[in-house]
Amino acid sequence: PLNDDTKNEQNKHMHSMQELMPDTYKELCDIRSILEKNYHDMLDIEFTIQDGKLYMLQCRVGKRTGVAALTMAMDMLKEGLIDDSEVVMRISPAQLDELLHPILDAADEKKHTVLAKGLPAGPGGAVGVIALTSEKAKEYQAAKIKNILVREETNPEDVEGMRAADGILTARGGMTSHAALVARGWGKCCIVGCDAVKIDMNAGTVTMNGKTFKEGDVISLNGSKGYVYGTAVKTMDASENPALQKFMKLVDKYRKMKIRTNADNPADAAQALKFGAEGIGLFRTEHMFYGKNSEKPLFLLRQMILAKDVKEREAILAKLGVYVKASVKDTMKVMNGKPVVFRLLDPPLHEFVPQDEAKQKELAAALKIDVKEVRERGEGLHEVNPMMGHRGVRLGVTYPEVSKMQFKAIFEATAELHKEGFNPKPEIMVPVTCSVNELKFQKKLCDEVFEQVKKATGDKKLSYMFGTMIEIPRAALLADEMAEVAEFFSFGTNDMTQMGFGFSRDDIGAFMGDYLDKKILPADPFQTLDQDGIGQLVQIGTMLGRDTRPNLEVGICGEHGGDAESVKFCYFNGLDYVSCSPFRVPIARLAAAQAAIEEERSAKKCKCGKCK
């Protein structure tokens, strides 16, 4: 050991270098201080001692964990070794991520063998018993037993089980699959696309690379690396660090770009505010039909889908609008004074019609119709490629009454909040657009409803912004036309990547690993924005849109909003904000601040007066 501080159980009986060679030890410490002051960092220093003489061999910047990186940077700031801009640059987004999630204890993790590997969809670590169904996950949670939901893939009906689980492991799916999106939104550890996972529901077992586990057996996940362990690995919570709060204040000192969050309920909105979100860039109205307290609105939605004519549909929508208004109102109340972008109903309707026979019978009985009608309606809505089918704005064109209901709910909620002393800032976003005529059609409906609500409520402060989600390449290429109507653009980079590459975001797990291993692609384009291809569409859309409307507000709301490299790309291309999952907000804040510092440093280096 070098000194008493570095003694451990294995070497505590030995004399230290400090004891045996005090002069040489002092010389080494002095040189260490000189090197650290010169490099302004903690270093790995290599040396040797021959015949009592100290020889320095080499030094390099030392590796460190997220907690260590933060502690060192803040200590060096106190010592005057670095300034606060350098503190911000010293912490990588990956290191900051460690501070926000429970993680596996690195020392203990080394003692265990990796059993299987998948895609790291939700960072952090999780240890718990296997739950093969959402019901079992909820049962374990009720008994206060940490558990990991293991599924082939998840769907909206699994949401409550996913909420109850401490970690999620799926055999299929990519970085923007249902499991990945939900898990990241909640800051929950998740591994997807782990093809080693073989589930036998009849036997109640999971097999991974020859090892079989029963429901109730313990496994561990490293969501930051995509590693699965067949044993319990120790965890640690690195987030309870007061230095983190001080650090984030320094981050915001340099950050220029706004950071919003993707949130669909008051709880997620409140969590995002704690992490520093400055608004909601994506409120998905359809999420009120999934999970907790969704039974009544989902029933009305299904009833509306099965309506025989417009009159019947409007009557049901009037009842459904009460729930939509309550949902948007509660979230705007939490975000008081901050903008909230409401995306109109986006998924194809067939997703909401039950496919399970028992649930079809249950719905038929509740509606007092023959189960055959439910089945036939579901089959009638089936599409070969629903991601490119009858969804988004297309629903609003076919069923304008559905759009009107949402407009009315948002405006009435806004007026009610004004009366209660709040300051709501609604922004209405029309999804899946490809033509300015779609926007003109929806804007006309929106303005009609706006005037009706304004007259009925007498609210003179009632206002809103109208915009669109640019997720189809054609919309980006015709952005100058879209901006004639849209006051803001939000790039939906998940779907834009899917359509641009021709990759199904739910099925890429089967081949993306090969593409990355063989260096056909530098990164998963659903995780880090493809700047060469999809990035060009963002650049073109922003440029053309602002040619028409110079004050056009532009952001992104795809999962790329929480990826550091993608955030920097957005900053350097003049976007006003990025929006991401609540637990990714601090990472986006850091990436935006680092981009601003990089820009400032580049400007100081160049004296030509022409470069940015």
Side-chain angles (χ1 to χ4, degrees), residues 480-552:
D480 52 342
E481 295 181 8
M482 305 297 272
E484 292 172 8
V485 180
E487 296 173 278
F488 71 88
F489 288 168
S490 181
F491 287 94
T493 51
N494 292 351
D495 273 6
M496 187 172 277
T497 297
Q498 179 169 241
M499 294 185 189
F501 274 89
F503 290 163
S504 167
R505 66 188 191 186
D506 291 318
D507 300 313
I508 61 162
F511 61 84
M512 185 50 63
D514 295 328
Y515 270 60
L516 299 180
D517 290 344
K518 294 170 183 175
K519 303 191 184 308
I520 292 171
L521 289 175
D524 182 340
F526 289 102
Q527 190 170 4
T528 297
L529 184 68
D530 165 47
Q531 297 183 15
D532 294 335
I534 306 305
Q536 279 198 62
L537 292 172
V538 174
Q539 291 169 323
I540 291 168
T542 301
M543 179 186 68
L544 291 176
R546 285 181 173 158
D547 281 347
T548 298
R549 190 184 293 267
N551 62 343
L552 183 76

Side-chain angles (χ1 to χ4, degrees), residues 442-469:
Q442 292 290 292
K443 184 69 163 66
K444 185 179 179 183
L445 295 177
C446 191
D447 285 341
E448 287 174 5
V449 175
F450 176 81
E451 291 302 328
Q452 291 167 5
V453 174
K454 189 174 183 179
K455 185 177 180 181
T457 61
D459 186 352
K460 294 180 180 179
K461 293 193 295 181
L462 196 64
S463 64
Y464 74 100
M465 283 183 71
F466 186 86
T468 186
M469 197 171 185

Side-chain angles (χ1 to χ4, degrees), residues 11 20 33 57 62 73 94 108 173 238 306 310 318 370 386 438 440 459 478 510 575:
N11 63 22
L20 294 175
S33 296
L57 304 178
D108 191 55
L306 294 167
V310 175
D370 194 287
E438 294 168 321
K440 289 177 180 177
D459 186 352
L478 297 176
L575 272 67

Side-chain angles (χ1 to χ4, degrees), residues 317-480:
L317 284 168
K319 297 177 184 177
L320 180 58
V322 175
Y323 291 95
V324 175
K325 181 173 74 172
S327 176
V328 302
K329 181 180 177 180
D330 289 346
T331 301
M332 279 198 289
K333 185 184 288 187
V334 171
M335 301 302 293
N336 186 29
K338 293 180 171 59
V340 180
V341 176
F342 294 105
R343 183 181 72 182
L344 300 185
L345 192 65
D346 183 58
L349 294 180
H350 82 271
E351 284 193 12
F352 301 106
V353 179
Q355 305 300 316
D356 179 79
E357 188 176 350
K359 290 185 178 179
Q360 288 177 341
K361 288 180 179 178
E362 184 183 328
L363 179 61
L367 298 175
K368 297 178 182 178
I369 60 175
D370 194 287
V371 69
K372 185 180 177 184
E373 284 189 56
V374 177
R375 193 179 300 117
E376 286 178 351
R377 184 62 173 141
E379 290 171 356
L381 290 170
H382 177 74
E383 296 176 293
V384 175
N385 191 343
M387 285 304 296
M388 300 175 73
H390 198 185
R391 56 177 285 238
V393 69
R394 297 155 200 170
L395 292 174
V397 171
T398 304
Y399 308 111
E401 57 273 17
V402 174
S403 292
K404 285 184 176 181
M405 177 273 289
Q406 295 172 86
F407 297 145
K408 185 180 180 185
I410 293 167
F411 294 144
E412 287 185 344
T414 302
E416 289 178 12
L417 286 170
H418 280 153
K419 284 184 179 179
E420 295 169 19
F422 292 91
N423 182 23
K425 292 187 175 180
E427 299 184 10
I428 294 174
M429 180 164 70
V430 184
V432 203
T433 56
C434 63
S435 165
V436 69
N437 290 328
E438 294 168 321
L439 287 178
K440 289 177 180 177
F441 180 80
Q442 292 290 292
K443 184 69 163 66
K444 185 179 179 183
L445 295 177
C446 191
D447 285 341
E448 287 174 5
V449 175
F450 176 81
E451 291 302 328
Q452 291 167 5
V453 174
K454 189 174 183 179
K455 185 177 180 181
T457 61
D459 186 352
K460 294 180 180 179
K461 293 193 295 181
L462 196 64
S463 64
Y464 74 100
M465 283 183 71
F466 186 86
T468 186
M469 197 171 185
I470 304 287
E471 49 197 320
I472 294 175
R474 187 179 193 273
L477 297 172
L478 297 176
D480 52 342

Side-chain angles (χ1 to χ4, degrees), residues 272-299:
L273 285 177
K274 289 180 182 177
F275 282 132
E278 296 164 303
I280 291 178
L282 178 63
F283 179 105
R284 293 157 285 206
T285 54
E286 66 271 8
H287 273 230
M288 66 175 291
F289 303 116
Y290 306 138
K292 194 175 181 181
N293 300 323
S294 66
E295 296 83 2
K296 290 181 180 178
L298 180 58
F299 173 75

